[in-house]
Amino acid sequence: MHLKVQVRPGGPAGGADAADLLLCDLVDSCAADGFAIMPALYPSSVEDFVDGVSPELRRRGRLPTTPTAGTLRDRLGLPA
């Protein structure tokens, strides 16, 4: 499935609201197991997301506070 979501201005909370309402709800309902963020402008959009939206999603409990150790392959128990 491919969704195009445009995050409107509104600071980090606005971006987190958009991610929480749509993307996290898809994960919660088992309609998706994750998503990829594609910035509209590079690198400023990436920096805005990492510096503003990610901490807000962590505060809401939507992102882990510490990174998960290992690669995805490691966590799934797949051979190298």
Side-chain angles (χ1 to χ4, degrees):
M1 174 185 348
H2 175 80
L3 294 173
K4 183 177 180 181
V5 179
Q6 183 177 5
V7 177
R8 303 272 185 219
D17 286 343
D20 200 357
L21 290 174
L22 178 63
L23 302 174
C24 292
D25 284 348
L26 287 171
V27 172
D28 291 345
S29 66
C30 298
D33 61 358
F35 44 87
I37 304 296
M38 295 181 64
L41 299 172
Y42 187 81
S44 63
S45 294
V46 173
E47 292 166 352
D48 290 344
F49 190 87
V50 170
D51 296 338
V53 176
S54 293
E56 179 64 20
L57 289 174
R58 279 190 189 91
R59 188 186 68 74
R60 296 176 185 201
R62 292 302 200 161
L63 285 177
T65 56
T66 57
T68 306
T71 65
L72 177 59
R73 182 175 290 281
D74 293 335
R75 292 192 309 266
L76 294 175
L78 298 173

